[in-house]
Amino acid sequence: MNFNEIAKMRQSTRAYDASRPVEKEKIEACLATARLAPSACNSQPWMMTVCTGDTARKLAPLTQGMGINGWTEEVPVFIVISEGRYNLSEAAGALLKQNDYKSIDIGILSAYLTAEATAQGLTSCILGWFKERAVRKLAGCKGKVRLIIALGYPKTEPVPRERRKARKPLSEITAWKES
């Protein structure tokens, strides 16, 4: 499967098969690919904490609230992505350029991780709604938790959604400047 095929296939899943555990080898493949994600000054300012079993069951309610994410009770694996430390050159660049490179780097990491999950036959959903302090404590994260990725097998065979309606045409989101 090439990257374009993965990009077309990957979609957020909100119905997981709680009875089907995810093989450790597939989780490790996702982590190994995510590790290859580019980052400013190659600082890799992130930590990926894998939560399964009882920890995943305790984490699920921490991703819910105001009627959001009730489906996370079924998720067998969560990968909590927290901030790591900048290296010296990235820290200096972030300060001088007033740019939050950690957020950019963590976004790229998440894209790599979810793309590999798709290649492994898994489904995923990137969560930004959670009780940060409680998640950090449960997962033992030292840095601020930025995202949580739900990972597992779908409850039913996913049917690819029509993306034309959900995506703007290239003409609306691109510009070409030629000399």
Side-chain angles (χ1 to χ4, degrees):
M1 191 176 340
N2 70 38
F3 184 76
N4 188 267
E5 292 167 329
I6 291 169
K8 287 178 180 176
M9 182 182 288
R10 197 252 161 221
Q11 60 189 17
S12 294
T13 298
R14 292 174 180 84
Y16 290 83
D17 184 349
S19 68
R20 189 171 177 196
V22 178
E23 299 87 346
K24 186 175 181 180
E25 298 78 29
K26 289 189 176 191
I27 298 169
E28 288 173 344
C30 292
L31 299 172
T33 296
R35 178 178 161 265
L36 300 174
S39 60
C41 304
N42 196 32
S43 66
Q44 300 173 323
W46 55 64
M47 176 60 77
M48 298 178 284
T49 304
V50 180
C51 299
T52 61
D54 286 340
T55 304
R57 284 186 282 283
K58 290 176 185 173
L59 194 139
L62 302 178
T63 66
Q64 301 168 2
M66 297 177 59
I68 296 173
N69 296 338
W71 53 269
T72 59
E73 297 290 337
E74 302 171 333
V75 175
V77 179
F78 289 103
I79 300 176
V80 178
I81 301 176
S82 57
E83 289 184 355
R85 299 177 60 140
Y86 277 138
N87 65 21
L88 186 58
S89 56
E90 187 179 31
L95 182 66
L96 288 171
K97 299 310 273 179
Q98 300 281 305
N99 205 343
D100 179 12
Y101 294 118
K102 284 183 184 180
S103 292
I104 296 165
D105 295 342
I106 287 171
I108 298 167
L109 171 87
S110 299
Y112 272 51
L113 198 151
T114 57
E116 181 60 35
T118 300
Q120 292 291 325
L122 302 171
T123 56
S124 61
C125 188
I126 301 170
L127 304 171
W129 180 280
F130 49 85
K131 297 171 180 92
E132 198 268 337
R133 287 184 183 153
V135 170
R136 187 183 329 159
K137 183 177 179 183
L138 177 67
C141 300
K142 294 179 182 172
K144 179 175 177 51
V145 175
R146 300 305 302 266
L147 295 171
I148 299 173
I149 298 178
L151 200 64
Y153 289 99
K155 187 176 275 187
T156 59
E157 198 59 37
V159 177
R161 293 188 299 265
E162 179 60 52
R163 291 186 181 236
R164 282 183 289 160
K165 295 176 185 174
R167 300 287 188 248
K168 295 179 182 178
L170 278 175
S171 61
E172 288 183 28
I173 59 171
T174 59
W176 291 64
K177 301 293 182 187
E178 298 181 27
S179 53

